[in-house]
């Protein structure tokens, strides 16, 4: 009985995942749905802080049931979180989560916006959040997006009235939205924005509340609901063969890097929204009640509505192309309305519908996925009219060049193929996430172009303008150039066409640790992004460091090939932190970028150009032991960091763990959230504890006890309760409680200085209760809060030691924090006989 559901989702997934750049393939039901949305002139903006904060049930309901133009404004791109599917963190995680949000919106029908706020990690209070973010800048972004999107209704995911009760980013998003609601209509606020937009006053502001915010369902039932609207978002869409909740489930399941894949739900389900500003609707099941959402809303709109409402009322599902003459008349009428905002929106919507009713297929594909400034590229054009409509292709052009002029009649179902050539300007910008092009701060990305602020991604490298003639009337249709190819195991795949440098350079490691004064060979990989690249590579380095040869020539014949040049780098004799960076000199250009590709099946492939540099650290460190076993968790890079300081690290496959198989290791480290994401571990835990009992040293890093939490009673050899306690201030003072314990004395003496330079946080998910066998080593706290002593706990067990730590080593070691290396070396070196 589940086959229809599986079939529907299979079709939907095939249309929404890696072929996100592909032309839409709309059914008659899709076209009718688009016409319904065309005839609704109302918009709603949902606002929260992060990817995954959005309520996909409500967004889908507003878009698909109400037919409103609906968008989600996520203040951040989720850069500060963790990654359950790969190694991307920080900026790269933000790129991944951006695309996951776009994948979700393609399913639930919404649009997506962002501010310049950088997700710097968990924050306990909006005071801290808004200080680090730069409140005025983020507020200006929220106002900018409201002024451009012009929502009638704004809905906050979080409550602005409860600072300190939840994530500071969450409360801040609601506070900024509450403030922006009125300020967006004030011409004295950010007047520079009014050069390219207008002031706007939304009609209503809501808070998307639920029993969760009241503490229990019982308390919520007793709450005053006089200002609440109750929406049943579990509606069923017969024309689509699916319910709203099923669409919403699939949309939220796109947040795979956060572990949000979930079962679909069906049936009636209520969402509550509480009025914060504006007039409460008389009809408490309609958030647009009292707001004109018909064509009469705009001057000249009645003439448009007269045409388009008739199409909706008498839509021919069997032969939608019969409506083309009326649609053309509607298009002409839209061109006459004076409201530029709705004219632009409805003009684009109608252009898409006109193409769909005719089955018009227009595609521009490049033979390769990328090229470089100054190149000439061949583009294959495919034009196909799959109806009996009178359609002609008049011309194809870019924003600067007219590429082809011909009046080519597109006969029914007769494919037209031809090729054009495009000269890429020498000053054409590279394709990369625009918010990463300039150096930002801890809390803010730097975006110099005001018109890019709010956009989810960098605009397409090239768009072609197809001048088309429908029944003698000319309409210009824009299409991006894409790259299309196939794989035997995946079929047809679309990905963006990109402009990239002629070559890029990268280091294998982002941090290189020198544990002594011996030189190291530093490999630099040059990747050619065009044929016959010839030039020089210069290695830049800091004072006190030396290199055998500063500049080396290179030559690469084929695009896509790589060459590795090795530089012998000698550190200073004393401790030092510095950076090295490569500069490629080719064809009179200097290129200092690294190309990073992010590729997953549920998002389009992403190319990210980042400054190519590596941190080099001369570190005095002592260590005992050599052979380390590592059980991978959720995407941390600690094994590579440990190899940097001379450990031999073997990754342990949990399925191979059995009695006696672990004895060869001097220490075993369990990766972050391993017990949350590796089900096999719960069956192998007894062997890990036996390893400790027989004299082993086991270090368990943090796991979560909430969603995707632990389902095991033997995480530790003694009672240990994991909480959500954390210390988010990476500069907070750390007190050493167990001053004589080996963990802070052997083989490295740990002092306050070893906690300088930590990034993003001290740690997270600390235990809050533990048995007497455990010794707490450190205490720390955020400002105004009591000290927490669960960040690092150690207990002897049998002949060995069990260590549990919530300290964020998974961030500190890859960042080259010297004190974190020293402390972790002590953890690995612990033996019972060294304890004091």
């Amino acid at each position: 009985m589940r086959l229809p559901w599986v079939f529907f989702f299979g079709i939907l997934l095939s249309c929404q995942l890696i072929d996100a750049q592909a032309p839409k393939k709309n059914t008659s039901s899709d076209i009718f749905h688009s016409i319904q949305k065309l005839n609704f002139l109302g918009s709603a903006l949902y606002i929260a802080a992060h990817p995954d904060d959005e309520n996909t049930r409500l967004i889908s309901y507003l878009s698909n049931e109400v037919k409103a133009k609906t968008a989600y404004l996520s203040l951040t791109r989720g850069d500060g979180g963790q990654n359950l599917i790969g190694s991307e963190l920080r900026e790269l995680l933000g790129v991944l989560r951006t695309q996951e949000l776009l994948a979700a919106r393609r399913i639930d029908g919404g649009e997506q916006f962002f501010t310049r706020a950088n997700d710097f990690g968990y924050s306990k209070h909006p005071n801290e959040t808004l200080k680090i973010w730069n409140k005025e800048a983020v507020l200006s972004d929220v106002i900018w997006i409201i002024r451009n999107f012009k929502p009638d209704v704004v809905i906050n995911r979080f409550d602005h009235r409860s600072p300190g009760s939840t994530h500071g980013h969450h409360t801040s998003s609601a506070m900024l939205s509450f403030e922006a609601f009125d300020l967006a209509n004030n011409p004295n606020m950010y007047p520079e924005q009014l050069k390219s937009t207008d002031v706007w006053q939304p009609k209503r502001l809501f808070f998307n509340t639920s029993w969760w915010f009241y503490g229990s369902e019982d308390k919520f039932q007793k709450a005053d609901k006089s200002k609440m609207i109750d929406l049943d978002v579990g509606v069923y869409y017969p024309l689509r063969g699916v319910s709203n909740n099923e669409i919403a489930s699939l949309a939220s399941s796109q947040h795979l890097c956060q572990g949000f894949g979930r079962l679909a739900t069906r049936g009636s389900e209520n969402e509550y929204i509480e009025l914060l500003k504006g007039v409460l609707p008389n009809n408490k099941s309609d958030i647009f009640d009292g707001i004109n959402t018909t064509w009469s809303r705009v001057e000249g709109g009645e003439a448009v509505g007269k045409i388009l409402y008739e199409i909706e009322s008498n839509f021919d599902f069997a032969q939608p192309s019969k409506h083309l003459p009326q649609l053309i008349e509607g298009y002409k009428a839209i061109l006459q309305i004076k409201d530029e905002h709705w004219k632009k929106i409805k003009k684009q919507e109608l252009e898409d519908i006109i193409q769909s009713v005719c089955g018009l297929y227009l595609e521009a594909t490049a033979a390769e996925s990328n090229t470089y400034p100054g190149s000439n590229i061949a583009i294959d054009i495919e034009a196909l009219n799959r109806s009996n409509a009178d359609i002609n292709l008049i011309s194809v052009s870019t924003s600067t060049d007219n590429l082809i002029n011909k009046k080519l009649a597109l006969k029914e179902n007769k494919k037209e193929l031809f090729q054009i050539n495009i000269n890429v300007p020498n000053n054409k910008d590279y394709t990369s996430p625009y918010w990463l092009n300039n150096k930002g701060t801890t809390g803010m990305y730097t975006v110099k172009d005001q018109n890019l602020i709010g956009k989810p991604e960098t605009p397409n490298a090239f768009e072609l303008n197809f001048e088309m003639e429908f029944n003698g009337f000319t309409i210009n249709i824009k299409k991006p150039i894409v790259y299309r190819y196939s794989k035997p195991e995946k079929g047809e795949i679309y990905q963006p066409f990109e402009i990239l440098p002629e070559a890029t350079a990268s280091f294998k490691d982002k941090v290189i640790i020198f544990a002594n004064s011996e030189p190291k060979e530093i490999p630099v990989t040059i990747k050619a992004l065009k044929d016959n690249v010839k030039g020089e590579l210069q290695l830049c380095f800091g004072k006190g460091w030396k290199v055998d040869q500063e500049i080396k020539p290179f030559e690469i014949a084929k695009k896509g090939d790589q060459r590795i040049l090795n530089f012998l780098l000698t550190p200073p004799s004393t401790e030092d932190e510095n950076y090295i960076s490569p500069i490629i000199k080719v064809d009179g250009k200097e290129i200092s970028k690294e190309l990073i590709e992010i590729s997953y099946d549920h998002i389009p492939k992403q190319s990210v150009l980042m400054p190519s540099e590596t941190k080099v650290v001369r570190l005095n460190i002592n260590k005992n032991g050599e052979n380390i076993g590592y059980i991978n968790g959720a995407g941390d890079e600690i094994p590579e960091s440990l190899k940097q300081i001379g450990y031999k690290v073997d990754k342990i496959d949990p399925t191979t763990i059995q009695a006696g198989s672990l004895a060869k290791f001097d220490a075993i480290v369990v990766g972050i959230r391993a017990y949350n994401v590796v089900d096999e571990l719960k069956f192998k835990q007894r062997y890990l504890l036996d390893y400790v009992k027989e004299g082993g040293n086991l270090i368990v890093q943090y796991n979560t006890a909430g969603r995707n939490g632990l389902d095991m009673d033997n995480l530790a050899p003694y009672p240990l309760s994991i909480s959500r306690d954390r210390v988010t201030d990476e500069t907070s003072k750390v007190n050493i409680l167990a001053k004589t314990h080996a963990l802070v004395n052997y083989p490295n003496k740990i002092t306050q200085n070893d906690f300088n330079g930590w990034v993003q946080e001290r740690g997270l998910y600390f235990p809050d209760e533990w048995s007497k066998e455990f010794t707490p080593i450190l205490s720390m706290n955020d400002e105004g809060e009591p000290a927490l002593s669960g960040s690092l706990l150690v207990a002897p067990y049998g002949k060995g030691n069990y260590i549990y730590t919530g300290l964020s080593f998974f961030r500190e070691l890859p960042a080259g924090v010297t004190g974190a290396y020293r402390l972790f070396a002590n953890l690995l070196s612990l033996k019972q006989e060294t304890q004091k």
Side-chain angles (χ1 to χ4, degrees):
M1 294 299 292
R2 296 180 62 192
L3 182 58
W5 173 243
V6 174
F7 175 77
F8 167 78
F9 264 50
I11 294 294
L12 191 55
L13 281 167
S14 69
C15 296
Q16 302 292 350
L17 299 185
I18 55 178
D19 63 344
Q21 297 290 316
K24 292 181 180 179
K25 303 174 180 66
N26 290 324
T27 66
S28 290
S29 292
D30 294 328
I31 298 170
F32 180 68
H33 180 68
S34 297
I35 291 171
Q36 290 178 308
K37 290 179 70 69
L38 179 68
N39 285 330
F40 189 94
L41 279 69
S43 53
L45 181 64
Y46 197 90
I47 299 180
H50 310 107
D52 85 359
D53 285 344
E54 83 274 27
N55 185 336
T56 55
R57 293 184 300 273
L58 193 50
I59 290 173
S60 179
Y61 176 84
L62 293 171
S63 178
N64 296 301
E65 172 66 11
V66 179
K67 308 298 188 298
K69 185 175 176 63
T70 308
Y72 174 44
L73 168 56
S74 176
L75 267 59
T76 77
R77 297 175 186 268
D79 329 72
Q82 286 86 52
N83 183 357
L84 292 181
I85 63 173
S87 61
E88 294 86 4
L89 290 174
R90 291 301 314 148
E91 297 91 347
L92 298 180
L93 180 59
V95 175
L96 171 56
R97 289 188 170 183
T98 293
Q99 291 301 316
E100 289 186 335
L101 270 177
L102 288 171
R105 299 294 80 77
R106 285 191 290 271
I107 292 171
D108 62 31
E111 299 178 42
Q112 185 62 52
F113 299 115
F114 296 94
T115 73
R116 290 170 291 172
N118 188 345
D119 178 3
F120 55 84
Y122 192 89
S123 176
K124 292 182 177 179
H125 200 280
N127 289 348
E128 177 198 39
T129 298
L130 296 174
K131 180 180 179 181
I132 295 176
W133 270 357
N134 181 345
K135 177 190 172 182
E136 288 303 310
V138 183
L139 178 62
S140 75
D141 290 356
V142 177
I143 289 174
W144 168 256
I145 291 162
I146 289 175
R147 285 173 171 175
N148 282 283
F149 187 68
K150 302 190 185 314
D152 298 302
V153 173
V154 177
I155 304 173
N156 290 345
R157 182 68 180 105
F158 299 104
D159 190 354
H160 70 287
R161 299 161 295 193
S162 54
S165 64
T166 183
H167 197 321
H169 297 181
H170 292 169
T171 310
S172 296
S173 71
M175 293 169 64
L176 291 169
S177 173
F178 190 84
E179 193 171 348
F181 182 85
D182 294 316
L183 295 180
N185 197 40
N186 183 345
N188 296 318
M189 290 299 298
Y190 310 107
E192 66 281 1
Q193 295 181 1
L194 302 181
K195 297 175 183 178
S196 51
T197 191
D198 302 309
V199 295
W200 179 253
Q201 181 59 64
K203 309 299 188 299
R204 293 169 183 144
L205 175 66
F206 293 99
F207 160 45
N208 183 194
T209 189
S210 71
W211 68 263
W212 188 88
F213 291 96
Y214 285 79
S216 71
E217 294 190 38
D218 183 61
K219 290 180 180 179
F220 183 62
Q221 291 298 323
K222 298 174 182 177
D224 177 11
K225 297 185 178 61
S226 60
K227 290 189 176 182
M228 289 188 194
I229 291 179
D230 178 4
L231 303 172
D232 183 357
V233 298
V235 293
Y236 176 69
Y237 305 126
L239 288 177
R240 309 185 74 179
V242 67
S243 69
N244 187 72
N245 285 345
E246 289 170 319
I247 293 174
S249 296
L250 184 58
S252 65
S253 290
Q254 301 311 299
H255 297 298
L256 295 182
C257 74
Q258 299 177 79
F260 263 52
R262 62 187 178 96
L263 290 172
T265 60
R266 287 159 288 280
S268 180
E269 187 169 351
N270 292 348
E271 284 288 342
Y272 293 88
I273 53 176
E274 176 191 354
L275 184 73
L276 300 177
K277 289 187 177 183
V279 178
L280 189 71
N282 291 323
N283 181 355
K284 297 184 72 174
S285 62
D286 179 7
I287 67 173
F288 286 94
D289 182 51
I291 300 172
N292 187 357
T293 58
T294 70
W295 276 105
S296 65
R297 174 176 189 155
V298 297
E299 184 179 350
E302 291 90 343
V304 181
K306 185 178 180 180
I307 299 169
L308 298 182
Y309 290 137
E310 195 278 332
I311 297 175
E312 182 180 345
S313 297
N314 299 285
F315 185 73
D316 190 330
F317 287 85
Q319 193 178 354
S321 62
K322 68 177 286 186
H323 299 292
L324 180 61
Q326 292 170 285
L327 292 168
I328 295 297
E329 290 307 308
Y331 189 88
K332 292 177 182 178
I334 285 176
L335 295 178
Q336 302 306 311
I337 65 175
K338 296 181 179 180
D339 188 313
E340 292 298 326
H341 172 71
W342 284 113
K343 179 193 288 187
K344 180 180 179 181
I345 293 169
K346 296 305 177 181
K347 177 173 169 286
Q348 181 61 61
E349 289 180 8
L350 193 46
E351 287 172 6
D352 293 339
I353 291 170
I354 287 171
Q355 294 175 70
S356 294
V357 299
C358 300
L360 180 62
Y361 190 92
L362 296 175
E363 184 174 80
T365 57
E368 297 183 280
S369 63
N370 59 78
T371 191
Y372 54 92
S375 65
N376 180 274
I377 55 172
I379 303 298
D380 291 317
I381 302 294
E382 179 179 347
L384 176 62
N385 170 20
R386 290 174 286 191
S387 72
N388 60 6
D390 178 15
I391 304 176
N392 295 299
L393 172 60
I394 305 302
S395 69
V396 181
S397 61
T398 66
S399 59
T400 57
D401 297 311
N402 198 17
L403 303 173
I404 186 170
N405 281 294
K406 62 165 78 174
K407 187 169 183 178
L408 178 64
L410 301 183
K411 302 299 183 182
E412 183 175 359
N413 216 29
K414 185 179 182 299
K415 182 166 56 179
E416 298 289 347
L417 300 172
F418 54 95
Q419 192 174 82
I420 59 176
N421 286 83
I422 294 179
N423 292 313
V424 181
N426 283 311
N427 62 350
K428 183 71 175 176
D429 290 337
Y430 298 138
T431 305
S432 188
Y434 70 85
W435 61 95
L436 300 179
N437 287 341
N438 298 288
K439 187 175 179 60
T441 66
T442 300
M444 296 293 294
Y445 285 117
T446 299
V447 181
K448 297 181 179 179
D449 185 347
Q450 177 69 41
N451 291 314
L452 286 175
I453 292 173
K455 293 185 183 296
E457 56 186 344
T458 301
N460 294 306
F462 274 103
E463 278 192 335
L464 296 187
N465 180 66
F466 290 81
E467 184 183 2
M468 306 299 299
E469 193 177 75
F470 297 87
N471 293 351
F473 180 76
T474 300
I475 297 178
N476 291 303
I477 296 172
K478 295 187 183 301
K479 295 287 182 181
I481 296 175
V482 296
Y483 174 57
R484 180 168 65 103
Y485 67 105
S486 67
K487 284 187 173 183
E489 72 279 14
K490 293 182 179 179
E492 184 177 65
I493 299 173
Y494 281 80
Q495 67 183 57
F497 174 73
E498 300 166 321
I499 307 299
L500 299 174
E502 291 89 332
T504 59
S506 62
F507 296 102
K508 177 179 177 292
D509 300 303
K510 287 304 177 186
V511 173
I512 301 174
I513 305 294
F514 291 76
N516 52 48
S517 58
E518 293 297 315
K520 284 189 177 183
E521 197 170 69
I522 309 298
V524 183
T525 300
I526 304 172
K527 183 174 183 177
L529 298 176
K530 75 167 190 174
D531 290 338
N532 300 316
V533 178
K534 183 178 181 180
E536 295 178 332
L537 179 68
Q538 178 180 356
L539 185 67
C540 301
F541 51 93
K543 184 178 180 180
W545 296 77
K546 298 178 182 178
V547 69
D548 60 336
Q549 184 179 340
E550 188 175 340
I551 298 176
K552 296 187 178 184
F554 72 91
E555 187 171 352
I556 305 175
K558 291 294 183 181
K559 178 178 180 177
D561 283 353
Q562 298 180 348
R563 184 174 174 193
I564 297 177
L565 299 183
N566 291 302
F567 294 83
L568 192 66
L569 184 67
T570 302
S573 57
T574 56
E575 287 198 341
D576 185 68
E577 295 184 10
N578 224 302
Y579 288 88
I580 57 175
S581 59
I583 297 178
I584 295 174
K585 299 180 179 181
V586 58
D587 295 337
K589 297 181 181 179
E590 291 190 351
I591 304 166
S592 57
K593 297 290 187 180
E594 171 187 9
L595 175 63
I596 304 167
E597 295 180 340
I598 301 175
S599 183
Y600 294 97
D601 283 351
H602 65 303
I603 64 168
K605 176 174 165 288
Q606 300 295 298
S607 295
V608 185
L609 293 170
M610 298 285 286
S612 184
E613 63 179 15
T614 276
K615 185 177 183 180
V616 288
V617 179
R618 170 67 173 93
L619 169 65
N620 290 325
I621 188 170
N622 300 308
K623 60 187 181 66
N624 272 357
E626 180 181 358
N627 297 314
I628 307 300
Y630 200 93
I631 299 174
N632 273 354
D636 67 82
E637 299 177 355
I638 286 180
E640 288 69 27
S641 299
L642 298 182
K643 292 175 185 177
Q644 290 271 5
I645 55 175
Y647 283 107
K648 181 179 181 297
V649 182
D650 291 328
K651 293 185 180 180
I652 300 173
D653 179 354
T655 63
T656 66
I657 296 175
Q658 56 187 328
S661 66
L662 307 174
K664 63 181 179 179
F665 295 113
D666 297 311
I668 293 175
V669 183
V670 181
I672 59 171
R673 298 181 71 176
Y675 293 98
N676 297 133
V677 299
V678 184
D679 289 338
E680 183 72 19
L681 270 181
K682 70 178 65 174
F683 306 110
K684 303 294 185 175
Q685 181 68 356
R686 61 191 178 100
Y687 297 121
L688 289 171
L689 296 181
D690 285 345
Y691 161 78
V692 178
K693 193 173 184 179
E694 295 301 317
N697 187 21
L698 180 65
I699 297 109
V700 176
Q701 297 178 87
Y702 91 91
N703 286 264
T704 62
R707 186 182 66 217
N708 296 330
L710 296 174
D711 181 22
M712 56 188 304
D713 55 10
N714 63 338
L715 176 67
Y718 310 109
L720 180 72
S721 175
I722 298 173
S723 72
R724 299 184 66 84
D725 289 350
R726 62 177 74 204
V727 175
T728 61
D729 182 0
E730 66 270 26
T731 66
S732 65
K733 183 179 179 181
V734 177
N735 294 310
I736 300 175
L737 300 176
K739 292 182 171 57
T740 62
H741 199 283
L743 282 184
V744 290
N745 288 283
Y746 180 82
N748 302 286
K749 179 68 174 178
I750 302 302
T751 69
Q752 289 291 334
N753 291 335
D754 289 300
F755 296 98
N756 294 336
W758 283 50
V759 298
Q760 186 158 325
E761 65 209 354
R762 288 295 188 201
L764 62 170
Y765 295 103
F766 298 166
D768 60 352
E769 294 181 3
W770 51 86
S771 70
K772 60 182 177 58
E773 287 83 3
F774 284 100
T775 299
I777 304 299
L778 309 171
S779 74
M780 58 194 70
N781 62 281
D782 283 319
E783 185 177 357
E785 295 187 356
L788 302 174
S789 55
S791 64
L792 180 58
L793 302 171
V794 59
Y797 179 60
K799 301 176 183 177
N801 294 285
Y802 176 96
I803 300 171
Y804 189 94
T805 179
L807 294 171
S808 60
F809 288 110
F810 74 103
R811 297 193 191 279
E812 313 312 321
L813 298 190
V817 177
T818 56
Y821 271 94
R822 270 191 282 265
L823 180 55
F824 207 88
N826 283 13
L827 270 59
L828 294 171
S829 302
L830 183 64
K831 298 290 184 183
Q832 280 199 16
E833 57 267 26
T834 66
Q835 294 187 44
K836 297 181 182 180

